[in-house]
């Protein structure tokens, strides 16, 4: 979820031109002149951005080609001087001259190309692999029969010289500059390939913060890189960031009340009222752009859950309004679409089966031939277990089927999802890496980003998604995305649940910032 300064439309169809480029501490300390903030983290599988695409550590370490400037809230070139295209399919990228990695080695066009080739190679099994589906040559690096690829490079990526490279996509995609703000498109230095195991434990990158230490299951420490050449809007105010590792949010909250933690994100709704009472209203930070959605994703590869009528029956058995009012205390709204209302493609009421109607749900269950098994709902044990339980109870009580919860650690759940080993539905929180309907709907496209969760495939949806991405007119593009969503909803591979009001918690030393609907720890200002 990385991004970058000013995009200037020019004679070309799409032109982006540049300029310059979370946590809490033990009660946000400045002892010894060090402004320190610490933040809640979980033990990561990796802190290399390409291997953990949602990593807050990875975001702090990397300066991508493009990024959102927190001061302007605009997507702007960061490590890039410009990103331009005549047709939105072939893109010319010019890097800023003189940028380096934390170890002093130069950031070149090859630093990006090598990183992209490695990430796009399926046999490497890096989490960011799906980001490169749109690149020409991706299929050759990911043979459908599972064999070893015959090449090591993306044919669509050409290094022209040290500061120029060209990217050719399989089809026009007006969102490509936004894609260049995400973790999987970060550059990698030569040292990442010389000793990968050592690099994984102590990565070197080019972002506003550099790696300092990683005590597994305890904490990860980052230090501000004084030679970072990006503008202040791409960094934060702390000298040092400490990611304290927890297995759930409750002990993190306890630490915050004791003054031992500065920042928490994705605060569960039931915790908001408690935090307001115990920590004060000033401790709550409300993200203004709704960018997240909770869903119940249903893998297509589980035969007993394939019936659209069964999925609709499950959806209609859930009284979202009741849960939003009682358990969630009004800090979430029922979702009626596969995208949040903040996106241009949103159509109110797109999901008919999101209306609570237990009688109609039972009729649909009967139409589906009933369900004699147990509906397993898998979830991240660090997520909102009370909410998962409430949803499960609604389904069990109103539909009369057995429901079993299966909470797991995030790393285990991620592996089960990516390897398509889920035993049932997956409760999850989905957010965008950049603001576009594509970020939500591509997970329902064959082979699309995030598609591993459901494995859903529909040729008509695939065609509409490709048209929508290539459309330069924003409204026309939104209409095409809405048309694709309407088709997906007929099969309901994911059940929309709630649009949470996104809250963060902060100590008096942490000044949180909203980055187009995302709260990123490393962007926090230091106020003590």
């Amino acid at each position: 979820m990385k991004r970058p300064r000013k995009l200037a439309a020019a004679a070309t169809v799409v032109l982006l031109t540049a300029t310059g480029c979370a946590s809490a501490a033990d009660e946000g300390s400045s002892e010894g002149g060090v402004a320190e903030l610490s933040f809640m983290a979980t033990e990561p599988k990796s802190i290399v951005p390409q291997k953990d695409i949602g990593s807050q550590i990875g975001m702090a370490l990397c300066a991508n080609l493009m990024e959102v400037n927190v001061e302007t809230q605009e997507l702007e070139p960061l490590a890039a001087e410009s990103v331009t295209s005549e047709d939105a399919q072939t893109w010319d990228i010019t890097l800023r001259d003189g940028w380096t990695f934390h170890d002093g080695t130069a950031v070149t066009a090859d630093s990006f190309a090598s990183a992209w080739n490695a990430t796009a190679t399926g046999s490497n099994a890096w989490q960011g692999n799906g980001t490169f589906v749109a690149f020409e040559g991706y299929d050759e690096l990911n043979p459908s029969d599972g064999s070893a690829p015959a090449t090591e490079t993306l044919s669509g990526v050409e290094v022209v010289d040290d500061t120029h490279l060209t990217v050719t996509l399989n089809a026009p995609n007006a969102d490509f500059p936004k894609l260049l703000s995400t973790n999987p498109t970060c550059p990698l230095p030569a040292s990442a390939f010389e000793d990968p195991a050592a690099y994984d434990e102590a990565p070197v990158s080019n972002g506003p913060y550099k790696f300092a230490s990683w005590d597994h299951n305890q904490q990860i420490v980052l230090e501000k890189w004084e030679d970072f050449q990006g503008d202040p809007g791409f960094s934060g105010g702390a000298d040092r960031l400490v990611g304290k590792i927890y297995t759930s949010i409750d002990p993190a909250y306890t630490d915050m009340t004791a003054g031992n933690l500065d920042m928490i994100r994705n605060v569960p709704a039931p915790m908001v009222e408690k935090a307001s009472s115990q920590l004060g209203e000033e401790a709550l930070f409300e993200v203004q752009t709704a960018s997240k959605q909770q869903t119940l994703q249903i893998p297509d590869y589980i035969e007993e859950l394939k019936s659209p009528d069964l999925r609709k029956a499950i959806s209609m058995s859930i009284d979202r309004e009741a849960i939003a009012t009682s358990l969630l205390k009004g800090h979430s709204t029922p979702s009626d679409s596969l995208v949040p209302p903040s996106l241009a493609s949103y159509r109110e009421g797109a999901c008919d089966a999101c209306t609570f109607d237990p009688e109609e749900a039972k009729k649909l269950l009967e139409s589906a031939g009933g369900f004699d098994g147990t509906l397993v709902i898998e979830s991240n044990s660090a997520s909102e277990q009370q909410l998962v339980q409430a949803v499960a109870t609604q389904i069990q009580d109103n539909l009369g089927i057995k429901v079993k919860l299966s909470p797991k650690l995030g790393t285990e759940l991620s592996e089960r999802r990516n390897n398509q080993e889920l035993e049932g539905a997956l409760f999850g929180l989905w957010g965008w890496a950049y603001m576009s309907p594509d970020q939500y709907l591509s997970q329902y496209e064959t082979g699309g980003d995030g598609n591993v969760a459901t494995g859903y495939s529909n040729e008509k949806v695939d065609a509409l998604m490709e048209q929508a991405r290539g459309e330069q007119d924003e409204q026309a593009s939104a209409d095409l995305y809405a048309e694709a969503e309407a088709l997906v909803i007929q099969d309901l591979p994911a059940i929309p649940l709630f649009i949470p009001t996104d809250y963060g918690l902060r100590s008096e030393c942490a000044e949180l910032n909203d980055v187009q609907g995302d709260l990123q720890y490393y962007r926090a200002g230091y106020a003590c």
Side-chain angles (χ1 to χ4, degrees):
M1 293 206 312
K2 288 259 5 161
R3 317 159 206 210
R5 176 179 176 183
K6 184 131 185 147
L7 322 184
T12 52
V13 174
V14 185
L15 172 64
L16 306 170
T17 306
T19 68
C21 175
S23 89
D26 288 332
E27 190 47 43
S29 65
S30 59
E31 295 180 13
V34 177
E36 179 177 300
L37 292 174
S38 59
F39 62 93
M40 178 191 170
T42 56
E43 175 69 8
K45 184 177 180 181
S46 173
I47 55 175
V48 176
Q50 291 85 353
K51 298 182 181 179
D52 185 349
I53 61 176
S55 169
Q56 291 277 314
I57 305 292
M59 292 178 202
L61 292 173
C62 164
N64 236 319
L65 291 165
M66 301 291 297
E67 184 58 279
V68 171
N69 185 326
V70 75
E71 295 179 350
T72 66
Q73 290 294 312
E74 296 290 337
L75 183 75
E76 302 173 0
L78 178 54
E81 183 69 33
S82 64
V83 178
T84 63
S85 177
E86 296 284 351
D87 58 4
Q89 184 166 3
T90 300
W91 293 84
D92 296 317
I93 300 170
T94 301
L95 276 60
R96 293 183 185 280
D97 195 26
W99 280 44
T100 69
F101 289 103
H102 300 147
D103 61 2
T105 57
V107 177
T108 66
D110 190 63
S111 306
F112 287 94
S114 297
W116 297 352
N117 289 330
T119 311
T121 299
S123 54
N124 286 337
W126 292 7
Q127 193 182 54
N129 175 277
T131 298
F132 297 91
V133 166
F135 282 55
E136 192 175 272
Y138 175 85
D139 289 346
E140 286 71 22
L141 288 174
N142 297 268
S144 58
D145 60 3
S147 62
T151 179
E152 296 180 343
T153 60
L154 287 160
S155 59
V157 176
E158 179 187 359
V159 174
V160 179
D161 56 36
D162 280 353
T163 57
H164 296 85
L165 68 164
T166 301
V167 175
T168 302
L169 306 176
N170 292 318
N173 187 343
D175 279 348
F176 181 70
K178 298 178 183 177
L179 186 74
L180 297 178
S181 71
T182 62
N183 265 354
T185 62
C186 289
L188 286 173
S191 60
F193 303 99
E194 293 165 357
D195 188 345
Y199 184 82
D200 282 356
E201 288 296 309
V204 171
S205 193
N206 65 332
Y209 286 87
K210 61 182 180 181
F211 174 83
S213 65
W214 182 4
D215 298 323
H216 287 273
N217 299 303
Q218 296 296 318
Q219 66 179 22
I220 298 169
V221 179
L222 308 177
E223 295 176 348
K224 194 160 190 174
W225 186 37
E226 298 303 328
D227 292 333
F228 178 62
Q229 297 180 58
D231 287 347
F234 299 109
S235 184
D239 295 330
R240 183 161 56 200
L241 294 172
V242 180
K244 295 188 173 182
I245 295 172
Y246 301 88
T247 56
S248 69
I249 195 171
D250 292 319
Y253 178 78
T254 300
D255 265 3
M256 173 160 273
T257 59
N260 295 323
L261 189 67
D262 295 304
M263 296 183 285
I264 299 175
R265 63 198 294 267
N266 296 329
V267 178
M271 188 176 282
V272 173
E273 298 296 314
K274 183 168 66 174
S276 176
S277 172
Q278 295 181 337
L279 298 171
E281 286 289 333
E282 63 277 9
L284 286 168
F285 177 81
E286 181 178 344
V287 176
Q288 296 302 308
T289 304
S291 65
K292 296 184 172 67
Q293 181 186 43
Q294 288 153 333
T295 62
L296 206 56
Q297 295 181 309
I298 303 180
D300 250 28
Y301 57 82
I302 298 179
E303 194 62 34
E304 53 268 34
L305 298 178
K306 282 185 73 76
S307 166
D309 279 351
L310 172 62
R311 298 171 179 181
K312 290 173 184 175
I314 293 171
S315 179
M316 297 184 82
S317 72
I318 304 168
D319 189 346
R320 296 168 178 77
E321 284 287 354
I323 295 175
T325 301
S326 56
L327 176 64
L328 304 180
K329 308 294 185 185
H331 297 303
S332 283
T333 55
S335 181
D336 61 357
S337 167
L338 291 171
V339 301
S342 52
L343 291 174
S345 72
Y346 169 78
R347 302 291 185 267
E348 185 176 357
C351 175
D352 290 339
C354 290
T355 302
F356 176 55
D357 189 340
E359 295 306 316
E360 182 62 23
K362 289 175 181 173
K363 292 178 183 177
L364 284 166
L365 178 62
E366 185 177 349
S367 174
F371 184 76
D372 297 328
T374 297
L375 174 63
V376 176
I377 298 179
E378 300 195 36
S379 63
N380 187 325
S381 58
S383 68
E384 300 189 48
Q385 290 303 301
Q386 287 180 286
L387 177 56
V388 183
Q389 179 64 65
V391 169
T393 300
Q394 292 269 340
I395 297 170
Q396 188 161 281
D397 292 351
N398 295 324
L399 208 54
I401 65 175
K402 293 180 183 177
V403 182
K404 175 187 172 184
L405 302 187
S406 182
K408 293 182 170 59
L409 292 176
T411 50
E412 180 184 359
L413 190 66
S414 178
E415 286 185 6
R416 291 173 61 78
R417 180 196 63 206
N418 294 340
N419 294 327
Q420 299 201 331
E421 295 173 346
L422 297 172
E423 296 179 76
L426 173 66
F427 174 89
L429 178 69
W430 192 270
W432 64 51
Y434 51 83
M435 194 171 182
S436 168
D438 188 50
Q439 284 285 287
Y440 274 87
L441 298 176
S442 67
Q443 62 184 303
Y444 309 112
E445 183 179 17
T446 307
D449 187 18
N451 184 250
V452 290
T454 66
Y456 180 74
S457 180
N458 183 322
E459 290 182 358
K460 292 181 180 178
V461 171
D462 295 348
L464 284 167
M465 290 292 295
E466 185 171 323
Q467 291 178 51
R469 276 193 293 268
E471 176 57 58
Q472 303 298 304
D473 180 83
E474 186 175 351
Q475 186 56 54
S477 176
D479 290 344
L480 288 164
Y481 278 121
E483 195 176 339
E485 183 196 359
L487 289 177
V488 176
I489 279 186
Q490 291 178 15
D491 298 321
L492 214 58
I495 297 173
L497 293 175
F498 300 98
I499 303 294
T501 303
D502 194 6
Y503 288 102
L505 289 177
R506 59 188 172 190
S507 71
E508 62 181 8
C509 290
E511 290 184 334
L512 300 184
N513 291 299
D514 182 343
V515 185
Q516 285 194 352
D518 190 29
L519 196 165
Q520 299 170 348
Y521 291 130
Y522 83 95
R523 305 290 196 109
Y526 186 78
C528 286

